[in-house]
Amino acid sequence: MKRCTSCKKGVLKPVVIEQLFRAHTCSSCGGNWILVEDYLTWKRKNPEYQFSDNIAVLNEIVAEDTKKAILCPVTGMIMQKLEITAASEHRLDYSPTVGGIWLDKGEWELLRAEGLAASLNSLVTHEWQKKVRDTRAQETFSEVYRSRFGEELYDKVKEIREWLHSQEKKADILAYLTAEDPYSAER
């Protein structure tokens, strides 16, 4: 049995998460080591399976999150920290060499509550991570504009922008709006 690379106290024992797919759980910290291959094998055999939504209220879930870098229990190499969603501070630890995911105690429940348990394999893809980064950047810019304009003006500007982008002659409209004197022949 391998030692837990997160807490370094317990050992990883074979389990079946919710009687669904194989994993290894630490006897001390309760974290889970999941091979994406095992998860996908189960998913292919159970394409109709739906995770229930009523496990717990999201605010009641206590999920730990290892902030430090941890090592892959198979290769001993440092695992990547991957974001779950733009709204969550939690990070998954991923070993691309092995295709293994480390979930700290409570993170599986967090994924279920967020509706992401059926997408565990997608969370580690470049596309998912890009979407998370893009969403976070959009939220950051939105907050910058909101603080500069104020809530009411920001809502109005967004409405105008949406209208402008639907116009066939938006370039001419923008030129008119940004000209110092739109009725002058001079630049």
Side-chain angles (χ1 to χ4, degrees):
M1 263 186 248
K2 297 207 179 271
R3 276 231 170 277
C4 176
T5 58
S6 181
C7 72
K8 300 191 182 355
K9 297 173 189 167
V11 292
L12 299 178
K13 295 183 177 184
V15 297
V16 178
I17 292 186
E18 294 185 38
Q19 289 99 33
L20 301 175
F21 56 90
R22 296 184 318 177
H24 289 81
T25 298
C26 175
S27 60
S28 180
C29 70
N32 294 297
W33 172 247
I34 300 168
L35 293 176
V36 175
E37 181 181 326
D38 290 339
Y39 174 81
L40 286 174
T41 298
W42 167 79
K43 203 171 169 183
R44 275 191 291 275
K45 290 179 182 177
N46 301 280
E48 303 299 316
Y49 186 85
Q50 297 288 318
F51 289 95
S52 73
D53 295 336
N54 58 2
I55 62 157
V57 177
L58 184 58
N59 295 340
E60 296 175 10
I61 294 176
V62 178
E64 296 175 12
D65 191 22
T66 305
K67 300 296 182 197
K68 64 180 178 17
I70 63 172
L71 304 177
C72 170
V74 177
T75 65
M77 296 171 59
I78 294 175
M79 292 196 284
Q80 298 174 352
K81 295 274 187 195
L82 300 178
E83 298 179 272
I84 298 172
T85 66
S88 177
E89 293 297 317
H90 284 270
R91 305 278 192 270
L92 301 178
D93 295 280
Y94 178 61
S95 174
T97 307
V98 176
I101 298 171
W102 177 261
L103 297 177
D104 293 308
K105 183 178 182 177
E107 283 184 333
W108 173 250
E109 291 76 13
L110 176 69
L111 291 174
R112 286 201 51 210
E114 292 275 1
L116 298 173
S119 304
L120 182 61
N121 56 308
S122 298
L123 299 179
V124 300
T125 65
H126 172 74
E127 293 80 13
W128 185 278
Q129 294 301 307
K130 182 180 180 328
K131 184 175 83 172
V132 169
R133 285 189 305 275
D134 290 348
T135 300
R136 185 166 282 125
Q138 183 179 16
E139 290 169 356
T140 299
F141 279 115
S142 185
E143 282 304 311
V144 167
Y145 295 134
R146 189 172 279 109
S147 69
R148 282 186 183 168
F149 302 149
E151 193 68 39
E152 189 177 328
L153 181 57
Y154 180 51
D155 287 341
K156 186 66 176 174
V157 169
K158 287 191 306 185
E159 184 182 317
I160 293 168
R161 187 176 193 284
E162 189 176 311
W163 172 84
L164 179 63
H165 282 283
S166 70
Q167 300 304 307
E168 191 175 303
K169 297 184 179 205
K170 72 178 175 185
D172 293 333
I173 296 169
L174 276 173
Y176 174 83
L177 290 172
T178 57
E180 188 70 35
D181 180 359
Y183 304 106
S184 170
E186 295 180 28
R187 285 196 170 243

